[in-house]
Amino acid sequence: MLLLMARDQTRAKVHAAALLLALDANGAGPLTMEGIAARAGVSKQTVYRSWPSTGAVLFDALLARSADESGRVVVPNSGDLSSDLLALATGMIGELKDPLEEALLRALTADLQSDAVLAAQYRELLLGPQLSAISTRLSEAGVPASGDVAELFVGPIFYRWLLRTRPFDSEWVSAHVERIIRSIGR
Amino acid sequence: MLLLMARDQTRAKVHAAALLLALDANGAGPLTMEGIAARAGVSKQTVYRSWPSTGAVLFDALLARSADESGRVVVPNSGDLSSDLLALATGMIGELKDPLEEALLRALTADLQSDAVLAAQYRELLLGPQLSAISTRLSEAGVPASGDVAELFVGPIFYRWLLRTRPFDSEWVSAHVERIIRSIGR
DNA sequence: AGCTAACGAGACGGAGCGTCCAGTTTGGAG
DNA sequence: CTCCAAACTGGACGCTCCGTCTCGTTAGCT
């Protein structure tokens, strides 16, 4: 994936088309390569030249977006763990609530379920860094088993988002952070 | 879904076919209605008569299985919350590790991502009861915000399983339960 | 100006979709 | 036992999307 021969403009067009399609296909039908090509005003061949599947397009689009805005996973470090976790959770949830980001992630998640290779890349390039950034922050605060605590922190957020059990609100977020803090025995 | 006209034998054959296909297609290609029909030795028409999609077949198969074995979500209640949660988590993880159950759930999860109706049914008929059973057990033990704590308990297990970040082992399970207990401020 | 990569247009065989039909089996009620 | 209705078979249908191929055109770089 991610052949660099693709003209930047073409790549951007394909990314945008995939995002828009994911946005208004939300929860309905799945993305198709032909649909992406048509929406991007681009030959099917051009899409296949650079990406093997719709999931790969989405993944690449996601990488391009995060590289644009920040580049790296940033976990706040003010010295106060509690307020840092609150800021982190609020930020994550804010991203998940952004319609475009949400559509992108849901469409990508759908593709991950039937593409083991893509799932592995997703873990290595996105999930892993995110988890280990949180884990590092926790570790610096002297939290034991910081990797597990990072999952305890992220897991329920992911669970709520993916399964849509209930919407996020600010009371829940702060209560969640309080539970995390208590769980580490402070 | 779940038209009762279907002959029991036919229904069983289709369920079995879907399970077997999910089992050895694991992570590779997606299930197809034609594949299920062929594997079940049944006309395509027969499958479409009773289920509108592969996800519906899987969901129905899952319901049939859980109705066979237990019927209801059972959360142990020995009076000792900690050991009950440990038993519960161990049981859940045991199910997730069973190859057939795992293949079924993963295939179903894949379909849920692009079928909003099915996802809603899944939440109402399976996730909801599971969460509220745990929540009730917690509530009886005097835990406040028991619904949120139930998600704190289930979320990381789901996260680990779905994203395959790391395998489950017994040390992690007991540490997880300990963190949950501490998080409720006991 | 000219070379080369990237691209556009469109065709291809194949798989799966979802629906239709006409004929056969099967189970139960009378 | 008979017979009727429901369930099932087998196959065909037009369609969308897949993934690959070819050929001719465009666009960037030197």
Side-chain angles (χ1 to χ4, degrees), chain B residues 10-21:
Chain B
T10 304
R11 227 176 128 217
K13 276 199 292 186
V14 172
H15 285 169
L19 289 189
L20 291 178
L21 281 178

Side-chain angles (χ1 to χ4, degrees), chain B residues 59-122:
Chain B
F59 186 58
D60 198 31
L62 185 61
L63 286 180
R65 281 172 68 83
S66 54
D68 280 355
E69 295 166 8
S70 59
R72 293 238 48 79
V73 181
V74 175
V75 177
N77 192 343
S78 70
D80 178 16
L81 182 59
S82 181
S83 66
D84 284 353
L85 289 182
L86 187 62
L88 180 59
T90 306
M92 289 175 56
I93 291 172
E95 273 190 32
L96 294 177
K97 273 182 174 168
D98 172 56
L100 202 58
E101 200 80 13
E102 174 168 7
L104 169 56
L105 282 176
R106 289 200 189 274
L108 180 56
T109 304
D111 283 336
L112 290 183
Q113 304 307 316
S114 52
D115 185 335
V117 175
L118 196 62
Q121 291 180 334
Y122 183 71

Side-chain angles (χ1 to χ4, degrees), chain A residues 5 7 10 41-43 46 49:
Chain A
M5 329 171 182
R7 292 287 197 284
T10 303
V42 138
S43 169
T46 299
R49 188 177 2 254

Side-chain angles (χ1 to χ4, degrees), chain B:
Chain B
M1 155 182 15
L2 194 130
L3 302 186
L4 295 180
M5 329 171 183
R7 293 288 195 286
D8 288 352
Q9 189 188 355
T10 304
R11 227 176 128 217
K13 276 199 292 186
V14 172
H15 285 169
L19 289 189
L20 291 178
L21 281 178
L23 190 56
D24 56 49
N26 222 340
L31 290 183
T32 68
M33 293 294 262
E34 291 197 331
I36 291 174
R39 179 74 169 239
V42 139
S43 168
K44 205 168 43 149
Q45 186 73 278
T46 298
V47 182
Y48 275 105
R49 181 170 18 245
S50 301
W51 301 277
S53 65
T54 58
V57 176
L58 290 168
F59 186 58
D60 198 31
L62 185 61
L63 286 180
R65 281 172 68 83
S66 54
D68 280 355
E69 295 166 8
S70 59
R72 293 238 48 79
V73 181
V74 175
V75 177
N77 192 343
S78 70
D80 178 16
L81 182 59
S82 181
S83 66
D84 284 353
L85 289 182
L86 187 62
L88 180 59
T90 306
M92 289 175 56
I93 291 172
E95 273 190 32
L96 294 177
K97 273 182 174 168
D98 172 56
L100 202 58
E101 200 80 13
E102 174 168 7
L104 169 56
L105 282 176
R106 289 200 189 274
L108 180 56
T109 304
D111 283 336
L112 290 183
Q113 304 307 316
S114 52
D115 185 335
V117 175
L118 196 62
Q121 291 180 334
Y122 183 71
R123 256 169 294 159
E124 280 178 31
L125 298 180
L126 291 174
L127 273 186
Q130 184 191 44
L131 273 180
S132 61
I134 299 173
S135 176
T136 300
R137 174 66 185 87
L138 289 167
S139 188
E140 286 170 4
V143 175
S146 56
D148 290 349
V149 177
E151 282 184 346
L152 187 69
F153 177 72
V154 174
I157 295 175
F158 180 75
Y159 183 87
R160 276 211 167 198
W161 176 76
L162 187 67
L163 301 176
R164 304 168 183 267
T165 51
R166 265 171 293 172
F168 297 107
D169 57 58
S170 57
E171 295 88 34
W172 179 82
V173 180
S174 39
H176 177 58
V177 170
E178 283 172 24
R179 279 187 287 269
I180 298 296
I181 296 289
R182 275 198 301 269
S183 79
I184 62 187
R186 287 300 173 76

Side-chain angles (χ1 to χ4, degrees), chain A residues 10-85:
Chain A
T10 303
R11 233 181 121 210
K13 277 198 292 184
V14 173
H15 285 169
L19 289 190
L20 292 177
L21 281 179
L23 189 56
D24 55 48
N26 221 341
L31 291 183
T32 67
M33 292 293 261
E34 290 195 332
I36 291 174
R39 180 74 169 239
V42 138
S43 169
K44 207 168 40 149
Q45 186 73 281
T46 299
V47 183
Y48 275 105
R49 188 177 2 254
S50 300
W51 302 275
S53 65
T54 59
V57 175
L58 290 168
F59 185 59
D60 199 32
L62 184 61
L63 285 180
R65 281 173 68 85
S66 55
D68 280 354
E69 295 165 11
S70 60
R72 293 241 48 81
V73 182
V74 175
V75 178
N77 192 344
S78 70
D80 179 16
L81 182 60
S82 181
S83 66
D84 285 353
L85 288 182

